[in-house]
Amino acid sequence: MKINCYLKSVGGFLQSEDLSYPAVIDAGRIDGDAFVDSMEVNGKLPRGQVLAVLDGVCTELLRFLELGHTVEVPGLGVFSLDVKGKVVTNESGRKVVTDGKAVINFMPKSVLRRGVETADFKIVNEKVAPSRSLSDEEAMAVATKLFDEMGFFLQRHFAETACISQSYASRLLGELVKKGKLDCDRTGRVIVYKLPGSSKR
C-alpha cells in the first residue's frame, strides 16, 4: 500500500531549514457515513446489510467487554479494557469500584500492521510553514478575512490560514477574546469565533 503524506511540521513549525514532519491526519476525517458508503460500493453489499453487520459487531463487542473479556474480532484485531478506579468497602460490606474509568485498548491484526509497516509513502502536499508570530493587527486581519468568507470560524481555520500551530492559535484567539476584539461561543468542546456584535446582526 502507499500512504499519502501531507507535510506538517511538529506544532506547525519547521524545526530547521531542511527538517519537517509528515502527517496523514491533514488528509481529512472519514466519518461513519462515508465509511459505510465506501463499504457499500467497494464491497458490493447492500447498505442495510453493511449497517446491520457493523451494528451487530459493536453490540456484541460491548457485551463481551462488559463481562470483562478480551475480544478478538476477525480481520480487525483484539479489543480489551483497562479499568482504573478505587476499590472500597461499602456499607453492606461488599467491595465496590468508585471513581471508575474504563479505556478500550485495540491491538490490530498482523495483516493490518503489516500493511502499514511495509507501506511506501507519497508526499501529496508540500505546504509547510516556518515558525512565526502574529501581531494583534495581523491576527485580526486573518480573523476578519475568515469571518467575511464564512460568517464564523474555528481555531483550526485560523491556524491553517495563518500558517501557525493549533496551540499558538488557541492562545492568540484567547487573548483577542479577552481584549474584546473577538467574540466566541462554546458548543460542547467546539469554540466558534465571530467579530464582536456579529451574532446580533
Side-chain angles (χ1 to χ4, degrees):
M1 64 183 293
K2 189 178 291 292
I3 297 177
N4 288 344
C5 292
Y6 294 71
L7 288 186
K8 182 178 182 180
S9 54
V10 171
F13 299 155
L14 287 174
Q15 302 301 298
S16 69
E17 287 300 316
D18 57 356
L19 179 63
S20 60
Y21 297 85
V24 296
I25 56 172
D26 284 5
R29 180 176 181 269
I30 304 301
D31 61 20
D33 286 336
F35 185 75
V36 171
D37 291 342
S38 181
M39 288 188 66
E40 181 182 8
V41 172
N42 295 320
K44 297 180 174 57
L45 296 170
R47 185 178 184 83
Q49 186 174 344
V50 173
L51 290 170
V53 170
L54 291 175
D55 184 63
V57 168
C58 184
T59 299
E60 289 303 305
L61 180 59
L62 284 174
R63 186 171 69 85
F64 283 121
L65 289 176
E66 286 175 353
L67 295 172
H69 295 303
T70 294
V71 186
E72 179 180 355
V73 179
L76 286 181
V78 178
F79 293 82
S80 61
L81 283 182
D82 269 347
V83 178
K84 296 181 179 180
K86 183 187 297 184
V87 177
V88 298
T89 303
N90 64 13
E91 297 176 353
S92 302
R94 300 186 61 183
K95 293 189 182 300
V96 296
V97 177
T98 62
D99 301 322
K101 182 179 180 181
V103 176
I104 296 178
N105 295 316
F106 173 65
M107 177 68 72
K109 293 284 286 185
S110 59
V111 63
L112 292 180
R113 292 200 306 273
R114 284 198 305 269
V116 174
E117 291 169 355
T118 61
D120 294 323
F121 301 94
K122 174 185 177 183
I123 294 176
V124 294
N125 182 347
E126 298 186 9
K127 180 181 179 183
V128 64
S131 174
R132 62 183 301 223
S133 59
L134 298 179
S135 65
D136 282 4
E137 291 73 22
E138 291 173 322
M140 283 305 302
V142 174
T144 301
K145 177 179 181 293
L146 288 169
F147 179 78
D148 289 343
E149 291 175 354
M150 301 187 293
F152 68 92
F153 61 91
L154 306 180
Q155 176 185 302
R156 64 180 178 85
H157 298 141
F158 186 87
E160 291 168 2
T161 302
C163 292
I164 59 177
S165 70
Q166 294 272 359
S167 58
Y168 178 45
S170 177
R171 293 197 304 272
L172 193 53
L173 290 170
E175 286 299 318
L176 292 175
V177 170
K178 286 181 182 178
K179 294 174 181 177
K181 296 184 176 183
L182 286 178
D183 284 342
C184 69
D185 294 315
R186 182 183 292 274
T187 304
R189 297 175 61 183
V190 178
I191 302 177
V192 175
Y193 295 92
K194 298 180 179 181
L195 295 184
S198 60
S199 58
K200 299 176 183 178
R201 292 180 182 177

